[in-house]
Amino acid sequence: MLPGFPIIGNCDEHEGVKSAITISLVPEARGGPFVFWDNLAAGCAKAAALGFDAVEIFPPSADAIDPDELRGLLAKHDLKVAAVGTGAGWVKHKLRLTDPEGSVRRRAVEFVASIIDLGGAFGAPAIIGSMQGRYDPPVSRDAAVNWLAAALEELGPRAATRSVPLLLEPLNRYETNIFNRTADAHAFLSKLKTQNVKLLCDLFHMNIEEADIAAALKLAGPKVGHVHFADSNRHAAGYGHTNFAPIAAALREIGFAGFISAEILPLPDSDSAARQTIESFREFSQPQP
Ligand code: LER
Ligand code: MN
């Protein structure tokens, strides 16, 4: 754990939250909300030097990561993998779990499965964000949601065989029209047969979509599996106007002990964004009065 950073967890009761920072290896995602870019070794070295517990990796595909190289980097820097993103399935390969074409949906499921297997070897869950896709006429919302449910009923158990959950991330309205809000995604996941799919709560998306971020986190409770840590403008925490105190209190109240991962724009530059993130973790480390 980060020194002096039981920001949210109570270390007397459980392990506490762990910090993570994002590394994108996807050129097509350039301009996106990732702190470190292109070089896994350099990203791991910087993450460790700043005191992060883990890295969250966005690979172009599962076979772009050499597991032996990654294992070596993690051991060298005493890091964990917080999660592995599947966004390249959409931005690079144009696959979506709710594509109207059955053959595209099948390839999308296989892409996510390959990331589950990669992450699973490191104890890390895969993230389904943009791979949830969107629906447009003539496809109905019900049809798209049913396709997503079918995919998760297959992929949730696959993740369970790797002893990791799978993460579904509600996104803001400009990125999907399937799941924007925590409560809707929570209700959807609760009805699935598989109970191995948890929520990824991204504070940037929640700032747009939720009336009350803390209340949404409390409603999701034990289904919160991972948090993307960003300010209102998707800069590092402290560079925008989000009030983090009630968010920290809500996460403490639900006993969240997973990863809080900075998925933010690398502004004003990667190193400054990473350093500001760590400082914010520390700033909010004291229980709020
Ligand atoms: C993925 O975690 C996410 O939040 C998307 O907005 C990335 O574009
Ligand atoms: Mn996110």
Short mmCIF file of all heavy atoms in Angstrom, two decimals, residues 22 29 32-34 56 58 85-87 90-91 127-130 169-172 175 200 202-205 226 228 234 263, ligand 1:
data_model
loop_
_atom_site.label_atom_id
_atom_site.label_comp_id
_atom_site.label_asym_id
_atom_site.label_seq_id
_atom_site.Cartn_x
_atom_site.Cartn_y
_atom_site.Cartn_z
N THR A 22 -2.37 4.12 -14.99
CA THR A 22 -2.62 3.49 -16.29
C THR A 22 -1.42 3.62 -17.24
O THR A 22 -0.75 4.65 -17.31
CB THR A 22 -3.85 4.13 -16.96
OG1 THR A 22 -3.78 5.55 -16.81
CG2 THR A 22 -5.12 3.64 -16.31
N ALA A 29 -5.34 4.78 -29.42
CA ALA A 29 -6.04 5.42 -28.30
C ALA A 29 -5.40 6.75 -27.92
O ALA A 29 -5.78 7.37 -26.92
CB ALA A 29 -6.04 4.48 -27.09
N GLY A 32 -6.33 9.68 -25.45
CA GLY A 32 -7.22 9.12 -24.43
C GLY A 32 -6.66 9.29 -23.02
O GLY A 32 -5.54 9.78 -22.83
N PRO A 33 -7.46 8.85 -22.03
CA PRO A 33 -7.15 9.14 -20.63
C PRO A 33 -6.18 8.15 -19.99
O PRO A 33 -6.55 7.39 -19.08
CB PRO A 33 -8.53 9.06 -19.98
CG PRO A 33 -9.22 8.00 -20.78
CD PRO A 33 -8.73 8.15 -22.18
N PHE A 34 -4.97 8.14 -20.46
CA PHE A 34 -3.97 7.23 -19.91
C PHE A 34 -2.72 8.03 -19.54
O PHE A 34 -2.32 8.94 -20.28
CB PHE A 34 -3.65 6.12 -20.91
CG PHE A 34 -4.90 5.40 -21.37
CD1 PHE A 34 -5.46 5.66 -22.61
CD2 PHE A 34 -5.56 4.53 -20.51
CE1 PHE A 34 -6.64 5.03 -23.01
CE2 PHE A 34 -6.75 3.91 -20.90
CZ PHE A 34 -7.29 4.15 -22.15
N GLU A 56 -2.19 -0.46 -14.39
CA GLU A 56 -3.36 -0.95 -15.15
C GLU A 56 -2.97 -0.82 -16.63
O GLU A 56 -2.58 0.26 -17.08
CB GLU A 56 -4.56 -0.07 -14.81
CG GLU A 56 -5.82 -0.51 -15.50
CD GLU A 56 -7.04 0.24 -14.94
OE1 GLU A 56 -7.15 0.38 -13.71
OE2 GLU A 56 -7.84 0.70 -15.75
N PHE A 58 -3.36 -1.23 -20.80
CA PHE A 58 -4.25 -1.24 -21.97
C PHE A 58 -3.45 -1.73 -23.16
O PHE A 58 -2.77 -0.96 -23.83
CB PHE A 58 -4.85 0.16 -22.20
CG PHE A 58 -5.82 0.51 -21.13
CD1 PHE A 58 -5.37 0.95 -19.90
CD2 PHE A 58 -7.18 0.31 -21.31
CE1 PHE A 58 -6.26 1.21 -18.87
CE2 PHE A 58 -8.07 0.56 -20.28
CZ PHE A 58 -7.60 1.02 -19.07
N GLY A 85 -7.28 -3.60 -19.64
CA GLY A 85 -8.38 -3.04 -20.43
C GLY A 85 -8.59 -3.79 -21.73
O GLY A 85 -7.66 -4.37 -22.30
N THR A 86 -9.85 -3.78 -22.18
CA THR A 86 -10.18 -4.41 -23.47
C THR A 86 -10.53 -3.37 -24.54
O THR A 86 -10.99 -3.72 -25.62
CB THR A 86 -11.39 -5.36 -23.34
OG1 THR A 86 -12.55 -4.59 -22.97
CG2 THR A 86 -11.14 -6.45 -22.31
N GLY A 87 -10.31 -2.09 -24.23
CA GLY A 87 -10.75 -1.01 -25.12
C GLY A 87 -10.19 -1.10 -26.53
O GLY A 87 -10.83 -0.63 -27.49
N TRP A 90 -12.31 -2.36 -29.33
CA TRP A 90 -13.14 -1.41 -30.08
C TRP A 90 -12.26 -0.45 -30.88
O TRP A 90 -12.37 -0.36 -32.10
CB TRP A 90 -14.09 -0.67 -29.14
CG TRP A 90 -14.74 0.52 -29.79
CD1 TRP A 90 -14.67 1.82 -29.39
CD2 TRP A 90 -15.56 0.51 -30.99
NE1 TRP A 90 -15.37 2.62 -30.25
CE2 TRP A 90 -15.93 1.85 -31.24
CE3 TRP A 90 -15.99 -0.48 -31.87
CZ2 TRP A 90 -16.72 2.23 -32.33
CZ3 TRP A 90 -16.79 -0.11 -32.97
CH2 TRP A 90 -17.14 1.22 -33.18
N VAL A 91 -11.35 0.28 -30.21
CA VAL A 91 -10.66 1.36 -30.93
C VAL A 91 -9.72 0.84 -32.01
O VAL A 91 -9.51 1.51 -33.02
CB VAL A 91 -9.89 2.32 -29.98
CG1 VAL A 91 -10.80 3.01 -29.00
CG2 VAL A 91 -8.76 1.64 -29.25
N ILE A 127 -11.42 -5.43 -18.03
CA ILE A 127 -12.41 -4.35 -17.97
C ILE A 127 -13.22 -4.34 -19.26
O ILE A 127 -12.64 -4.29 -20.35
CB ILE A 127 -11.72 -2.98 -17.86
CG1 ILE A 127 -10.87 -2.89 -16.59
CG2 ILE A 127 -12.74 -1.85 -17.94
CD1 ILE A 127 -9.93 -1.67 -16.58
N ILE A 128 -14.55 -4.34 -19.14
CA ILE A 128 -15.40 -4.10 -20.31
C ILE A 128 -15.96 -2.70 -20.20
O ILE A 128 -16.83 -2.42 -19.35
CB ILE A 128 -16.53 -5.14 -20.40
CG1 ILE A 128 -15.93 -6.53 -20.63
CG2 ILE A 128 -17.52 -4.77 -21.51
CD1 ILE A 128 -16.94 -7.64 -20.62
N GLY A 129 -15.43 -1.79 -21.01
CA GLY A 129 -15.91 -0.41 -21.05
C GLY A 129 -16.49 -0.16 -22.43
O GLY A 129 -17.67 -0.45 -22.69
N SER A 130 -15.66 0.32 -23.33
CA SER A 130 -16.18 0.62 -24.67
C SER A 130 -16.60 -0.64 -25.44
O SER A 130 -17.39 -0.55 -26.38
CB SER A 130 -15.16 1.43 -25.48
OG SER A 130 -13.91 0.79 -25.47
N GLU A 169 -18.04 -1.49 -16.88
CA GLU A 169 -17.89 -0.06 -16.56
C GLU A 169 -18.98 0.76 -17.24
O GLU A 169 -18.99 0.88 -18.47
CB GLU A 169 -16.52 0.41 -17.05
CG GLU A 169 -16.28 1.88 -16.81
CD GLU A 169 -14.90 2.33 -17.25
OE1 GLU A 169 -14.24 1.61 -18.02
OE2 GLU A 169 -14.48 3.42 -16.81
N PRO A 170 -19.90 1.35 -16.47
CA PRO A 170 -20.81 2.33 -17.08
C PRO A 170 -20.00 3.52 -17.60
O PRO A 170 -19.06 3.98 -16.95
CB PRO A 170 -21.71 2.76 -15.91
CG PRO A 170 -21.56 1.68 -14.88
CD PRO A 170 -20.17 1.16 -15.04
N LEU A 171 -20.36 3.99 -18.79
CA LEU A 171 -19.65 5.12 -19.42
C LEU A 171 -20.62 6.27 -19.60
O LEU A 171 -21.84 6.07 -19.64
CB LEU A 171 -19.10 4.70 -20.79
CG LEU A 171 -18.16 3.50 -20.84
CD1 LEU A 171 -17.81 3.17 -22.30
CD2 LEU A 171 -16.89 3.74 -20.04
N ASN A 172 -20.08 7.46 -19.78
CA ASN A 172 -20.99 8.60 -19.96
C ASN A 172 -21.71 8.53 -21.31
O ASN A 172 -21.34 7.78 -22.21
CB ASN A 172 -20.25 9.92 -19.78
CG ASN A 172 -19.37 10.25 -20.96
OD1 ASN A 172 -19.87 10.60 -22.03
ND2 ASN A 172 -18.06 10.12 -20.80
N GLU A 175 -20.28 8.23 -24.84
CA GLU A 175 -19.48 7.04 -25.21
C GLU A 175 -20.33 5.79 -25.38
O GLU A 175 -19.90 4.85 -26.05
CB GLU A 175 -18.38 6.81 -24.18
CG GLU A 175 -17.38 7.94 -24.15
CD GLU A 175 -16.16 7.65 -23.29
OE1 GLU A 175 -15.71 6.50 -23.24
OE2 GLU A 175 -15.67 8.60 -22.65
N LEU A 200 -17.05 -1.41 -12.44
CA LEU A 200 -15.95 -0.46 -12.42
C LEU A 200 -16.59 0.92 -12.36
O LEU A 200 -17.31 1.33 -13.28
CB LEU A 200 -15.08 -0.60 -13.67
CG LEU A 200 -13.70 0.09 -13.61
CD1 LEU A 200 -12.90 -0.24 -14.87
CD2 LEU A 200 -13.75 1.58 -13.43
N ASP A 202 -16.09 4.69 -12.56
CA ASP A 202 -15.15 5.70 -13.04
C ASP A 202 -15.68 7.08 -12.63
O ASP A 202 -16.76 7.50 -13.07
CB ASP A 202 -15.03 5.58 -14.57
CG ASP A 202 -14.03 6.55 -15.18
OD1 ASP A 202 -13.97 7.71 -14.72
OD2 ASP A 202 -13.34 6.17 -16.15
N LEU A 203 -14.93 7.76 -11.80
CA LEU A 203 -15.42 9.02 -11.21
C LEU A 203 -15.64 10.11 -12.25
O LEU A 203 -16.45 11.01 -12.06
CB LEU A 203 -14.45 9.50 -10.12
CG LEU A 203 -14.22 8.52 -8.97
CD1 LEU A 203 -13.26 9.14 -7.94
CD2 LEU A 203 -15.53 8.14 -8.29
N PHE A 204 -14.93 10.01 -13.40
CA PHE A 204 -15.17 10.98 -14.48
C PHE A 204 -16.55 10.77 -15.09
O PHE A 204 -17.34 11.71 -15.24
CB PHE A 204 -14.08 10.86 -15.55
CG PHE A 204 -14.42 11.56 -16.83
CD1 PHE A 204 -14.40 12.95 -16.91
CD2 PHE A 204 -14.77 10.84 -17.97
CE1 PHE A 204 -14.72 13.61 -18.10
CE2 PHE A 204 -15.09 11.50 -19.16
CZ PHE A 204 -15.07 12.87 -19.22
N HIS A 205 -16.85 9.53 -15.44
CA HIS A 205 -18.18 9.25 -16.02
C HIS A 205 -19.28 9.54 -14.99
O HIS A 205 -20.34 10.07 -15.33
CB HIS A 205 -18.28 7.79 -16.47
CG HIS A 205 -17.30 7.43 -17.55
ND1 HIS A 205 -17.25 8.08 -18.75
CD2 HIS A 205 -16.33 6.49 -17.60
CE1 HIS A 205 -16.28 7.56 -19.51
NE2 HIS A 205 -15.72 6.59 -18.82
N HIS A 226 -13.78 -1.98 -8.65
CA HIS A 226 -12.60 -1.23 -9.10
C HIS A 226 -13.05 0.22 -9.28
O HIS A 226 -14.22 0.47 -9.58
CB HIS A 226 -12.17 -1.81 -10.46
CG HIS A 226 -10.81 -1.40 -10.96
ND1 HIS A 226 -9.66 -2.07 -10.61
CD2 HIS A 226 -10.43 -0.43 -11.83
CE1 HIS A 226 -8.62 -1.52 -11.25
NE2 HIS A 226 -9.07 -0.52 -11.99
N HIS A 228 -11.98 4.02 -11.12
CA HIS A 228 -11.12 4.90 -11.91
C HIS A 228 -11.14 6.27 -11.26
O HIS A 228 -12.19 6.88 -11.09
CB HIS A 228 -11.57 4.95 -13.37
CG HIS A 228 -11.04 3.81 -14.18
ND1 HIS A 228 -11.55 3.43 -15.40
CD2 HIS A 228 -9.99 2.97 -13.94
CE1 HIS A 228 -10.85 2.41 -15.87
NE2 HIS A 228 -9.90 2.11 -14.99
N ARG A 234 -11.41 15.10 -15.96
CA ARG A 234 -10.57 13.95 -16.30
C ARG A 234 -9.08 14.26 -16.18
O ARG A 234 -8.25 13.58 -16.75
CB ARG A 234 -10.90 13.39 -17.69
CG ARG A 234 -10.83 11.86 -17.66
CD ARG A 234 -11.35 11.18 -18.90
NE ARG A 234 -11.77 9.83 -18.52
CZ ARG A 234 -12.28 8.94 -19.33
NH1 ARG A 234 -12.43 9.21 -20.61
NH2 ARG A 234 -12.64 7.75 -18.90
N GLU A 263 -7.09 6.85 -14.19
CA GLU A 263 -7.32 6.83 -15.64
C GLU A 263 -7.64 8.27 -16.04
O GLU A 263 -8.79 8.70 -16.02
CB GLU A 263 -8.47 5.89 -16.00
CG GLU A 263 -8.56 5.72 -17.52
CD GLU A 263 -9.80 4.96 -17.93
OE1 GLU A 263 -10.92 5.43 -17.61
OE2 GLU A 263 -9.67 3.90 -18.56
C1 LER B 1 -12.49 3.20 -20.01
O1 LER B 1 -12.11 2.84 -18.71
C2 LER B 1 -13.11 4.51 -20.04
O2 LER B 1 -13.40 5.09 -19.03
C3 LER B 1 -13.35 5.10 -21.34
O3 LER B 1 -13.94 6.37 -21.20
C4 LER B 1 -12.05 5.22 -22.08
O4 LER B 1 -12.24 5.95 -23.22
#
